Amino acid sequence: MTATPVADDAASAACCATCAAPALAEAAAREAARLLKAIADPNRLRLLSIVKHGPADGTCVCDLTEPLQLGQPTVSHHLKILVDSGLLAREKRGTWAYYTLVPGSLDKAAALITEL
Amino acid sequence: MTATPVADDAASAACCATCAAPALAEAAAREAARLLKAIADPNRLRLLSIVKHGPADGTCVCDLTEPLQLGQPTVSHHLKILVDSGLLAREKRGTWAYYTLVPGSLDKAAALITEL
């Protein structure tokens, strides 16, 4: 989809004979960075950790605010980023929202790093 | 090292009986986020990809500028972040600097996500 720019052969030959292998395509890199940026935040890592080790049927939002010692709007902001990026699923039950990990989402994110 | 705040039992009991599992500790989350942030950038992902698939004895900096279509100072800035975070190693040979992946560094970063 995205054209990978070809290195200038003359310039490359000035220092080494082997041209660089094709890089991760630009669009794929942007997409991967988007997901990894959603994870690469201390509070969001802690939220993911709490939800991962929480009840299988979901962790109540009321149990996510206290451990982080952050205000509810800040926690909601981080949770929205995690839901929007496909890492967490949100289900409203009565008064409260419950969060679960989207199955395979963390493995998918990790694979973006190991399979570069 | 870092005390994990304990949820207020009375507040938690208002919506569910199970308290949240201990979150990833604050200091560990900050450290993990620092490394993941170094990776979570489209240009740095592409640089890591080129170096990973490049010659085993290192990819010349001259082969890293062209594929990204970025200026040399910008590429140097991204490479510095990758070296400082322990992902890439830099070796000067004659006129040019050569970059290699630090063995195990990408697996270590991925494990921060899968082992949350």
Side-chain angles (χ1 to χ4, degrees):
Chain A
M1 300 263 280
T2 306
T4 304
V6 177
D8 181 294
D9 283 343
S12 298
C15 66
C16 55
T18 318
C19 283
L24 181 67
E26 203 175 328
R30 267 201 309 271
E31 187 61 23
R34 197 189 64 83
L35 180 58
L36 293 172
K37 268 182 189 160
I39 300 175
D41 173 274
N43 289 314
R44 292 198 289 275
L45 282 166
R46 297 185 81 201
L47 286 170
L48 288 168
S49 174
I50 298 171
V51 171
K52 181 177 178 179
H53 296 284
D57 63 343
T59 301
C60 178
V61 67
C62 64
D63 284 329
L64 294 171
T65 310
E66 285 278 345
L68 269 67
Q69 297 193 295
L70 294 173
Q72 188 269 322
T74 305
V75 171
S76 291
H77 162 76
H78 288 304
L79 287 169
K80 185 177 187 314
I81 290 172
L82 293 171
V83 170
D84 288 350
S85 59
L87 293 159
L88 290 186
R90 177 184 190 275
E91 191 197 351
K92 194 88 185 287
R93 293 207 296 268
T95 313
W96 303 95
Y98 289 75
Y99 292 87
T100 48
L101 268 186
V102 172
S105 61
L106 293 181
D107 288 340
K108 180 186 155 194
L112 293 174
I113 296 175
T114 53
E115 295 171 9
L116 266 176
Chain B
M1 302 263 281
T2 307
T4 303
V6 176
D8 181 295
D9 283 342
S12 299
C15 67
C16 54
T18 317
C19 284
L24 181 67
E26 202 175 330
R30 267 202 309 269
E31 186 64 22
R34 197 189 64 83
L35 180 58
L36 293 172
K37 268 181 191 163
I39 300 176
D41 173 275
N43 289 314
R44 292 198 289 275
L45 282 166
R46 297 186 81 201
L47 287 170
L48 289 168
S49 174
I50 297 172
V51 171
K52 181 177 179 179
H53 296 283
D57 62 345
T59 301
C60 178
V61 67
C62 65
D63 284 328
L64 294 171
T65 310
E66 284 278 344
L68 269 68
Q69 297 192 295
L70 295 173
Q72 188 268 323
T74 306
V75 171
S76 291
H77 162 77
H78 287 304
L79 287 169
K80 186 177 186 314
I81 291 172
L82 293 171
V83 170
D84 288 351
S85 60
L87 293 159
L88 290 186
R90 179 185 188 273
E91 190 197 353
K92 194 87 187 285
R93 293 207 295 268
T95 313
W96 302 96
Y98 289 76
Y99 292 85
T100 48
L101 269 186
V102 172
S105 61
L106 293 181
D107 288 340
K108 180 185 155 196
L112 293 173
I113 297 175
T114 53
E115 294 170 12
L116 266 176

Coordinates of all heavy atoms in Angstrom, one line a residue, chain A residues 2-4 25-26 33 38 41 43 64 82 85 88 93 111 114:
Chain A
T2 N 1.8 1.3 1.0 CA 2.7 2.4 1.1 C 4.0 2.2 0.4 O 4.6 1.1 0.6 CB 3.0 2.8 2.5 OG1 1.7 2.9 3.2 CG2 3.7 4.1 2.6
A3 N 4.4 3.1 -0.5 CA 5.7 2.9 -1.2 C 6.8 3.1 -0.2 O 6.8 4.1 0.5 CB 5.8 3.9 -2.4
T4 N 7.7 2.2 -0.2 CA 8.9 2.3 0.7 C 10.0 3.0 -0.1 O 10.4 2.5 -1.2 CB 9.4 0.9 1.1 OG1 8.4 0.3 1.8 CG2 10.6 1.1 2.1
A25 N 6.4 -0.8 6.8 CA 5.7 0.3 6.0 C 5.2 1.4 6.9 O 4.8 1.2 8.0 CB 4.6 -0.4 5.2
E26 N 5.1 2.6 6.3 CA 4.8 3.8 7.0 C 3.4 3.7 7.7 O 3.2 4.0 8.9 CB 4.8 5.0 6.1 CG 5.0 6.3 6.7 CD 5.1 7.4 5.7 OE1 5.7 7.2 4.6 OE2 4.7 8.5 6.0
A33 N 2.1 2.2 16.3 CA 2.5 3.2 17.3 C 1.2 3.7 18.0 O 1.3 4.0 19.2 CB 3.2 4.4 16.6
A38 N -1.2 3.9 23.4 CA -2.3 3.8 24.3 C -1.8 3.0 25.5 O -2.3 3.2 26.6 CB -3.4 3.0 23.6
D41 N 1.8 4.3 29.1 CA 1.5 5.3 30.1 C 1.4 4.6 31.4 O 0.7 3.6 31.5 CB 0.2 6.0 29.7 CG -0.2 7.0 30.8 OD1 -0.9 6.5 31.7 OD2 0.1 8.2 30.7
N43 N -0.2 5.1 34.2 CA -1.6 4.9 34.7 C -2.4 3.9 33.9 O -3.1 3.1 34.5 CB -2.3 6.2 34.8 CG -1.8 7.1 35.9 OD1 -1.5 6.7 37.0 ND2 -1.6 8.4 35.6
L64 N -11.3 1.0 40.2 CA -10.2 1.4 39.4 C -9.7 2.8 39.9 O -8.5 3.2 39.6 CB -10.6 1.5 38.0 CG -10.8 0.1 37.3 CD1 -11.4 0.2 36.0 CD2 -9.6 -0.8 37.3
L82 N -8.1 3.4 26.5 CA -7.9 1.9 26.4 C -9.1 1.2 25.7 O -8.9 0.2 25.0 CB -7.8 1.4 27.8 CG -6.5 1.8 28.6 CD1 -6.5 1.4 30.0 CD2 -5.2 1.2 27.9
S85 N -8.9 2.1 21.9 CA -7.8 1.4 21.2 C -8.0 -0.1 21.1 O -7.1 -0.9 20.6 CB -6.4 1.7 21.8 OG -6.4 1.3 23.1
L88 N -9.5 -2.7 26.1 CA -10.5 -3.0 27.1 C -11.9 -2.9 26.5 O -12.2 -2.2 25.6 CB -10.4 -2.0 28.3 CG -9.2 -2.0 29.2 CD1 -9.5 -1.0 30.4 CD2 -9.0 -3.4 29.8
R93 N -23.6 -2.1 33.8 CA -24.5 -3.0 34.5 C -25.0 -2.3 35.7 O -24.3 -2.0 36.7 CB -23.8 -4.3 35.0 CG -23.3 -5.2 33.9 CD -23.2 -6.7 34.3 NE -22.2 -6.9 35.3 CZ -20.9 -7.3 35.1 NH1 -20.5 -7.4 33.9 NH2 -20.1 -7.5 36.1
A111 N 3.1 -8.5 20.0 CA 3.6 -9.0 18.7 C 4.0 -7.9 17.8 O 4.9 -8.1 17.0 CB 2.5 -9.9 18.1
T114 N 7.7 -7.7 18.9 CA 8.5 -8.9 18.7 C 8.6 -9.2 17.2 O 9.6 -9.8 16.7 CB 8.1 -10.1 19.4 OG1 6.7 -10.4 19.1 CG2 8.2 -10.0 20.9

